[in-house]
Amino acid sequence: MICCSIIYAKLNSLAPRIEYPAAWIIYGISLGDLDGDAKPDIVSANRMSDSLTIIRNAVPYSRLDVGVGLEPIGVAIVDLDGDGRPEIVAANQSSKSLSILRNTSIATPRAPMLTFPSNGARGVQTSSTLRWNVAEGATSHRLQVSTSPGFTSSLFDDSTLTSPSQLISGLNHNSEYYWRVRGTNTFGPGAWSAVWSFTTVVAAPVLASPLNEATGVPTASTLSWQASAGATAYRLQVSTSPGFNSTVFDDSTLTTTSLPVVGLNHFTQYYWRVNARNAGGTSAWSSVWKFVTVIAPPNAPSLHSPANNAGNISRTPRFFWRRVPDANSYSMQIARESQFAAPIMSVQNITDTSYAFLAPLDSHSVHYWRVCGSNPGGNGAWSPVWVFATGTQIVNVPSAEMVVPDRFRLEHNYPNPFNPSTTMTIALPVRSGVRLEIFNFAGQLVEVLLDQQMQAGVYQMVWRANAPSGIYLCRLTAVPVESGAQPFVQTQKMVLMR
């Protein structure tokens, strides 16, 4: 009686009085720790209901049916197989047998172990599958994902998951997320797993310029894109293949959002894309954009007339050249010197292959002219320079490879005597203002053959005399342009015989 009183006192201290239905006949009761929480649980054998009632921590929790008509009359809680988990043994009146319920536990599931992505992982895709080990004893799981380590709010919360994985989509780029899982069974939710975190990958860049499917793009162009938040570097690829099987440009060291790309081919379609990266990983590629480069500038035209070295040209000549494929328009220049440092006439956007200047050119002067074609690709190369004279024929213009003379001189004309034309040669060691004049023997000026600045070199001019027979004088006056030296003057005698 003393022992029973002590046990009753302990039971009475563990839980309040528990009322059973009046029809139940209690034939047995056992006390043990079924859920491993170091708190006693009660199992009672009920003859009328042919069941065992489990009272977890002195709170009725579940009923285990042992079979109709078995009339349990006794129950015990014991670890029969030494695995640390309790079995329930019930004595059955009608069958004269014992019913053993192995590894019976009324515990909630243990905390599961998270597996993927690993704790602190970076560069996780914004659509990723989270995985964990099944919680022991769980029939379902609850997954929470939040941007707060305290889970004050959740962007995903589902307690009905029956498999140990879940696809999470729509995560923000370059953002840190926290997640945890716990199992649930008949007896309630178990403990939460450890809280793990991961950071999503940086966003793919958005391309900016040149626009997708742009045409007429210069062969030296700057490609640009929008910055990706959190990115520390970018990789740019340019290819003639939409699959980027080979690349004409590939640079993964870029830290800015634009890059000049030069050396592209004319009238070629290119594809380009960019990705971003930081310490957490590399983003997906941007969308692939394409563009077509501008056509090549036209080739140099071929000049037609006035012919090279022509003389006695009108002061208002019409110039002709041959058409160049792909040229939309032409530009033309006329100058008094072959370098075109200061053209006296320059015209653009000529749509025909000829042009006439309305303003008269200087008489008895040497003029140089050239033409280039233009199209959306730019200006083409200039044509070779041709030279003509108004009133004077230039027989030969020295090439750039010719040796520059070491002194001024006016050679004897040839032939001499002559009828009706003769050739005079002058040598200029430096760029000079040149005047070449014809006088009769009385000292009267007959004609001015040259009066302009000319580059250093050797020149030949033809004088077609429109004068009576007689003795004439040819006088050269050359004034160096840059040295400030004294003018050079030389005269030669000529005989015209009609």
Side-chain angles (χ1 to χ4, degrees), residues 157-485:
D157 190 343
D158 191 340
S159 61
T160 65
L161 306 177
T162 57
S163 64
S165 65
Q166 177 63 36
L167 175 65
I168 305 296
S169 302
L171 300 177
N172 294 326
H173 288 281
N174 197 43
S175 299
E176 186 172 25
Y177 291 93
Y178 302 87
W179 64 296
R180 63 183 180 179
V181 179
R182 71 178 179 185
T184 300
N185 61 16
T186 305
F187 304 104
W192 285 107
S193 67
V195 175
W196 279 15
S197 68
F198 62 86
T199 301
T200 49
V201 70
V202 64
V206 176
L207 305 186
S209 178
L211 296 176
N212 192 26
E213 299 187 350
T215 58
V217 176
T219 56
S221 294
T222 296
L223 307 185
S224 62
W225 54 93
Q226 296 179 19
S228 295
T232 57
Y234 300 92
R235 180 180 183 182
L236 166 66
Q237 286 187 333
V238 181
S239 176
T240 55
S241 164
F244 294 83
N245 301 324
S246 61
T247 57
V248 296
F249 190 88
D250 189 345
D251 192 341
S252 61
T253 65
L254 308 176
T255 56
T256 61
T257 56
S258 65
L259 187 73
V261 177
V262 299
L264 301 176
N265 294 326
H266 289 283
F267 202 56
T268 302
Q269 183 162 272
Y270 288 95
Y271 302 84
W272 65 295
R273 63 184 182 179
V274 181
N275 66 23
R277 72 175 185 275
N278 58 17
T282 301
S283 76
W285 286 104
S286 66
S287 300
V288 175
W289 280 15
K290 61 184 178 180
F291 62 86
V292 177
T293 49
V294 71
I295 63 174
N299 294 326
S302 297
L303 305 185
H304 184 266
S305 65
N308 195 24
N309 296 320
N312 295 321
I313 300 300
S314 166
R315 294 177 62 194
T316 56
R318 176 172 284 275
F319 298 86
F320 295 87
W321 54 92
R322 290 181 173 82
R323 186 175 301 278
V324 177
D326 297 328
N328 296 342
S329 63
Y330 300 90
S331 297
M332 178 181 174
Q333 289 184 335
I334 297 180
R336 297 291 294 273
E337 41 80 29
S338 61
Q339 301 302 312
F340 291 84
I344 59 175
M345 292 186 182
S346 183
V347 182
Q348 292 81 36
N349 298 319
I350 304 172
T351 57
D352 199 357
T353 55
S354 67
Y355 190 80
F357 285 102
L358 299 180
L361 301 173
D362 293 339
S363 61
H364 297 92
S365 299
V366 175
H367 297 86
Y368 301 85
W369 69 294
R370 62 182 182 179
V371 178
C372 74
S374 302
N375 63 19
N379 293 330
W382 287 104
S383 66
V385 176
W386 278 16
V387 62
F388 67 91
T390 52
T392 302
Q393 183 176 1
I394 303 174
V395 174
N396 183 36
V397 176
S399 66
E401 291 78 18
M402 182 173 289
V403 177
V404 175
D406 59 355
R407 59 187 177 87
F408 290 102
R409 67 179 185 274
L410 172 62
E411 304 285 354
H412 288 288
N413 63 303
Y414 179 85
N416 192 24
F418 66 94
N419 181 24
S421 61
T422 187
T423 299
M424 290 150 288
T425 301
I426 63 174
L428 306 175
V430 294
R431 182 177 179 181
S432 305
V434 178
R435 185 175 177 85
L436 190 63
E437 302 165 296
I438 306 296
F439 296 89
N440 60 25
F441 201 66
Q444 296 173 324
L445 179 64
V446 175
E447 189 171 346
V448 178
L449 299 183
L450 286 175
D451 187 13
Q452 67 184 74
Q453 287 189 5
M454 300 180 70
Q455 300 292 331
V458 177
Y459 299 87
Q460 292 180 326
M461 271 70 63
V462 176
W463 179 42
R464 290 181 173 85
N466 184 18
S469 298
I471 298 174
Y472 292 87
L473 303 176
C474 178
R475 184 173 72 184
L476 169 65
T477 303
V479 182
V481 173
E482 298 174 354
S483 65

Side-chain angles (χ1 to χ4, degrees), residues 78-162:
V78 64
D79 181 5
L80 292 175
D81 52 12
D83 64 355
R85 291 180 292 180
E87 282 78 40
I88 298 177
V89 181
N92 304 309
Q93 172 68 25
S94 60
S95 64
K96 302 294 193 280
S97 65
L98 299 177
S99 294
I100 302 175
L101 307 178
R102 294 180 56 82
N103 301 332
T104 303
S105 174
I106 62 171
T108 56
R110 296 183 180 180
M113 177 65 71
L114 308 185
T115 60
F116 182 84
S118 60
N119 191 23
R122 300 178 65 87
V124 176
Q125 298 301 317
T126 56
S127 180
S128 293
T129 297
L130 309 186
R131 302 181 188 277
W132 57 92
N133 292 330
V134 175
E136 183 179 351
T139 57
S140 63
H141 297 87
R142 180 181 183 183
L143 167 64
Q144 286 186 332
V145 181
S146 176
T147 56
S148 164
F151 293 86
T152 53
S153 62
S154 297
L155 60 90
F156 184 90
D157 190 343
D158 191 340
S159 61
T160 65
L161 306 177
T162 57

